Amino acid sequence: MLGSKAYVAPEKRKAIQEAIQKLDYHPNVIAKSMSNRRMDNIGIVLAQDASSAFQSQYVPPLLAGFWQELSKNNMQMLLLMAKDREDEVQKCLTMYSTGNVQGFILMRSRYNDQTVCALSAADIPFVLVGNINYELACKLPAINMVDTDNTYDVKNTTMHVIAQGHRRIALIHSSSEFIASIERRNGYYLALQQNGIPIDDSLVFECEQRISKMEACCDKLLSSDRLPTAVVATDDMIAVTFIKRATERGLKVPEDISVVGHNNYPVSRLCTPSLTTVDVPLVDLGDAAANLLMEHLRNKDHKPRRILLPTSIVVRNSVAPPGGGAISGETAGA
């Protein structure tokens, strides 16, 4: 097993303590128990609160992907949730310095992510599912990342909507705290710009990944004096919530308003109408992230890599020309 004789080397111990001091934590609490043995665990950092995590359709397939690879290496998963960013960093440093984990997988990437900075500064093995912002990339050495091209994908789904004749297109995106949400929003902007469609900030809505918040956001859009003819949602749960709230108001999808989503959760093909969306290989993302971390742990000379997995658009029944009939069937395209 990888961790049976692992320990915190003096140089790594020093790096951890320097990271703690730089981030204004309490090194005596963290460093009082440096283990001579490291357990066969990987810390899974959810990077969101319990309420959002356990309502999310994003988390289970990623966890399945992690487990698929980690179990082959006789490794266990420890889920880590924290009350805020500082608490998350403190918990990660504590878990590693006390020998409870061999490394970490971060399930989401946030803007100027303190956990990424702390783990990188302390030279602790980790893999990020996602990307980092440009400013952070300029400050940090290369890190392990696994992702899809969020900007390209939402640009493509928006282009698909535009190709059906839509010009007044709204966007509902997840919190701008997360890099993926920023990238997806940028994809929407790019598609509009490349088609000569002015960006209208009144058509851009941001919401948290909680059902009550998504419902409130969709209701706000639906209460607009002038509705869009199409909605691009950066997550299928937002899209499905919008379809439900629109239907409750007497609107028909796609006859009155078209909708596209992102991630291709199982609910996207079960809702009415079935949802046009981006098929993101979430299980494969998890598997690739765990595999990359195992590679790092096995090889002390490991060179950090960024892995970008392919996606495709799945065309179902939720998009039609303005005032027209749905595009039926299910097809996938790059």
Side-chain angles (χ1 to χ4, degrees):
M1 289 181 283
L2 285 169
S4 58
K5 298 193 179 193
Y7 73 102
V8 180
E11 63 273 14
K12 186 161 288 190
R13 182 194 301 255
K14 183 173 182 292
I16 293 171
Q17 291 174 338
E18 286 175 352
I20 292 166
Q21 291 169 340
K22 184 177 180 180
L23 292 161
D24 196 28
Y25 294 116
H26 305 289
N28 59 325
V29 175
I30 302 295
K32 66 181 180 180
S33 178
M34 290 291 190
S35 176
N36 287 327
R37 294 173 62 86
R38 190 167 296 286
M39 298 179 70
D40 293 322
N41 297 325
I42 298 299
I44 308 298
V45 183
L46 294 178
Q48 59 189 127
D49 61 72
S51 176
S52 297
F54 294 132
Q55 288 185 26
S56 172
Q57 299 293 301
Y58 169 85
V59 172
L62 267 185
L63 291 178
F66 300 153
W67 178 246
Q68 194 167 271
E69 177 61 28
L70 294 178
S71 62
K72 296 176 187 176
N73 293 276
N74 297 315
M75 304 293 282
Q76 305 297 317
M77 297 191 299
L78 292 182
L79 295 185
L80 188 154
M81 286 177 283
K83 60 185 179 182
D84 54 39
R85 292 194 186 194
E86 291 188 358
D87 183 47
E88 181 178 285
V89 173
Q90 174 111 27
K91 285 179 175 176
C92 285
L93 295 176
T94 301
M95 287 174 71
Y96 188 80
S97 65
T98 55
N100 285 313
V101 297
Q102 295 198 28
F104 295 94
I105 300 175
L106 312 186
M107 289 184 67
R108 288 178 183 266
S109 54
R110 293 171 296 210
Y111 195 83
N112 287 337
D113 200 306
Q114 294 176 19
T115 304
V116 169
C117 293
L119 296 181
S120 181
D123 195 26
I124 295 173
F126 75 97
V127 173
L128 174 65
V129 179
N131 197 5
I132 56 177
N133 50 290
Y134 176 78
E135 297 87 348
L136 199 58
C138 291
K139 297 176 183 178
L140 295 179
I143 63 174
N144 288 308
M145 295 185 284
V146 178
D147 203 3
T148 55
D149 193 333
N150 290 292
T151 301
Y152 174 85
D153 288 342
V154 174
K155 176 185 170 185
N156 271 1
T157 51
T158 308
M159 288 284 201
H160 174 73
V161 169
I162 292 170
Q164 303 308 312
H166 295 275
R167 303 281 294 179
R168 186 169 173 78
I169 305 165
L171 174 74
I172 309 178
H173 65 88
S174 303
S175 171
S176 295
E177 174 187 10
F178 297 106
I179 296 295
S181 179
I182 296 171
E183 291 176 333
R184 292 177 187 185
R185 184 184 65 200
N186 289 343
Y188 162 83
Y189 288 151
L190 279 174
L192 296 188
Q193 289 170 350
Q194 291 184 11
N195 285 273
I197 301 173
I199 294 172
D200 183 348
D201 289 335
S202 71
L203 293 175
V204 178
F205 296 80
E206 179 175 339
C207 66
E208 296 179 29
Q209 289 291 107
R210 298 180 187 178
I211 292 173
S212 61
K213 299 293 185 181
M214 291 188 286
E215 288 178 333
C217 184
C218 293
D219 288 342
K220 184 178 179 181
L221 191 162
L222 288 163
S223 298
S224 303
D225 292 335
R226 185 183 168 212
L227 289 176
T229 63
V231 172
V232 173
T234 63
D235 185 270
D236 286 346
M237 288 304 296
I238 297 174
V240 170
T241 301
F242 181 84
I243 290 173
K244 178 179 180 292
R245 301 303 266 193
T247 301
E248 289 171 350
R249 289 173 177 252
L251 295 171
K252 293 182 179 180
V253 177
E255 291 85 353
D256 296 321
I257 191 164
S258 290
V259 182
V260 295
H262 199 110
N263 286 334
N264 198 23
Y265 301 140
V267 69
S268 68
R269 64 176 180 271
L270 299 176
C271 66
T272 303
S274 58
L275 182 66
T276 292
T277 186
V278 177
D279 183 36
V280 176
L282 293 172
V283 174
D284 291 343
L285 273 174
D287 185 86
N291 185 278
L292 189 55
L293 183 57
M294 290 298 99
E295 177 186 305
H296 187 172
L297 293 174
R298 291 191 198 100
N299 180 9
K300 65 179 181 179
D301 297 320
H302 168 81
K303 302 296 183 186
R305 294 192 290 140
R306 185 185 184 210
I307 298 172
L308 208 60
L309 297 188
T311 57
S312 59
I313 296 178
V314 180
V315 177
R316 296 193 178 104
N317 299 315
S318 62
V319 177
I327 303 169
S328 62
E330 178 169 323
T331 60

